[in-house]
Amino acid sequence: MLRPRESRSLRLTAHALSFTPNATVTWAHDVSGNAVATALFDESSDTLVIESSAELTLNVDQWPVFDIAASAAHYPFLLTEDEVTDLGALRLQSYLDSAGRLREWAQGFIAGNSTGTLALLKDISSGVAAQIAYEVREEENTQSPMDTLARGQGSCRDFAVLFVDAVRSLGFGARIVSGYLYDPDRNALGSHGAGSTHAWAEVYVPDAGWITFDPTNRSVGGFNLIPVAVARHIRQTMPVAGSFFGGAASFDRMEVRVDVASAE
């Protein structure tokens, strides 16, 4: 999953995907509408190179205004029957929290019986960044929300998973997003140079729809985020997955490089 997700705010002008060695490529859309390329190889090789190149226009305000339904302007609020049905598993926590400790942590951001919905979500996002120290983690797996809270450290994917499960514990529908961070000023956490792979979240709010939250950088709206995949669980957003035939010790190393530049 390397092709940016086209939308009203993201217009994809061109996209090319190439492989070394050559591969037969087929395209499909998964259950979340992500574009998925499947590559099958006919020859042996000691190296695999996957190159994805995209030219796009991202039109998102840095300080967006969200037209939230009056009935959902304050938390708690009721979703319609259709919204409850359609959101389904996106309202269920992905990680076990039998003692309800994550829900208790999330409830600590609720300011009274009726608090502003957007303010609550912003506070939880900022609370993640305030309480968790950012770290670069090369490990393959993602920490559970409770592990992240206990360690007090995490990467962008750990921040996103913690935020998503926290708001789900309060009844919101939320999903994980993976993609690219455009950071020409090089002052955002999680960036390496002007761009990098990144993970963040989206929360559904009636009338406003899916609102982007980047808890790593305490930002809302996604003006510098290029989404590639959305999913219920972080494991469903891996950009590259697959298998090969060879010796058990054949794998040597993997290198990832992201270059993001303004056309201007």
Side-chain angles (χ1 to χ4, degrees), residues 126-230:
S126 296
V128 172
Q131 297 185 30
I132 309 300
Y134 177 79
E135 66 173 349
V136 177
R137 286 202 312 109
E138 301 296 338
E139 290 88 350
E140 182 177 344
N141 294 324
T142 302
Q143 295 175 168
S144 72
M146 295 313 303
D147 285 342
T148 300
L149 286 176
R151 289 189 65 239
Q153 291 181 304
S155 65
C156 64
R157 63 186 185 275
D158 302 319
F159 279 52
V161 164
L162 171 57
F163 173 78
V164 164
D165 258 24
V167 299
R168 284 175 176 171
S169 75
L170 299 180
F172 288 95
R175 58 191 186 184
I176 296 287
V177 189
S178 69
Y180 309 115
L181 170 67
Y182 175 48
D183 181 31
D185 297 329
R186 304 188 180 191
N187 56 14
L189 292 176
S191 66
H192 306 282
S196 65
T197 55
H198 196 51
W200 59 95
E202 291 180 346
V203 181
Y204 178 81
V205 180
D207 279 13
W210 292 102
I211 300 179
T212 297
F213 291 88
D214 180 7
T216 303
N217 293 294
R218 308 189 190 194
S219 64
V220 181
F223 77 98
N224 62 343
L225 300 174
I226 302 169
V228 171
V230 300

Side-chain angles (χ1 to χ4, degrees), residues 1-3 15-21 23 25 27 37-39 41 47-53 180 239-242 254-257:
M1 290 189 289
L2 297 170
R3 179 187 175 95
H15 180 255
L17 190 61
S18 62
F19 295 86
T20 303
V25 180
W27 287 90
T38 300
F41 302 90
T47 304
L48 171 61
V49 178
I50 305 173
E51 183 173 359
S52 175
S53 177
Y180 309 115
V240 176
M254 180 179 69
E255 299 176 0
V256 179
R257 192 184 78 189

Side-chain angles (χ1 to χ4, degrees), residues 58-75:
L58 185 64
N59 183 22
V60 179
D61 293 334
Q62 186 169 358
W63 309 106
V65 176
F66 302 103
D67 187 18
I68 297 174
S71 60
H74 292 86
Y75 177 87

